[in-house]
Amino acid sequence: MTNEFKKPLGKDGPIGTAIGFGEAFIEFGIDSKVSNDLVTAADRAIGESIASQLPGRQDGGVADAYRHVLLSAELVRDYGVWPAYHILEKHEFESSGGADNGLDMWNNSVGMKIGQYVRQMAAIGTM
């Protein structure tokens, strides 16, 4: 197991990332129930990226891209394009160490397209 799978819990680890998303949702005016759902979604995306055992959980690696695509797709599927976009954008521009924020936003946009497609298909009853 490489060090990238030993990222600390707490403020600088997965839990801190999930809490940051929850705080962003509250600031966007979305109630605490949805904020808690977001923390759960972020936790699931983080957990899925770890479980995948793909390399590069940080700094633009494959697992990092997978996590961004998965979370952004789920946010759009659940809440729509604009709430997801604003929350993801806020998170990327306020996160520390933003060396790969441009790449993160690209991955988010790919996930948002997937989420929008799934949302549209569900709306017409094909999913």
Side-chain angles (χ1 to χ4, degrees), residues 36-56:
N36 290 337
D37 291 347
L38 176 62
V39 170
T40 301
D43 283 342
R44 282 194 323 257
I46 292 165
E48 181 66 28
S49 71
I50 293 169
S52 73
Q53 295 193 14
L54 290 167

Side-chain angles (χ1 to χ4, degrees), residues 63-86:
D64 183 45
Y66 178 50
R67 177 176 51 84
H68 279 269
V69 168
L70 181 60
L71 180 59
S72 57
E74 285 295 297
L75 291 178
V76 170
R77 184 178 65 87
D78 290 342
Y79 307 108
V81 172
W82 287 110
Y85 173 79
H86 288 293

Side-chain angles (χ1 to χ4, degrees), residues 69-110:
V69 168
L70 181 60
L71 180 59
S72 57
E74 285 295 297
L75 291 178
V76 170
R77 184 178 65 87
D78 290 342
Y79 307 108
V81 172
W82 287 110
Y85 173 79
H86 288 293
I87 297 309
L88 293 164
E89 180 182 52
K90 179 176 177 43
H91 173 74
E92 293 306 333
F93 288 106
E94 289 186 359
S95 65
S96 60
D100 64 342
N101 283 355
L103 183 57
D104 289 347
M105 288 302 291
W106 171 263
N107 293 327
N108 290 346
S109 72
V110 170

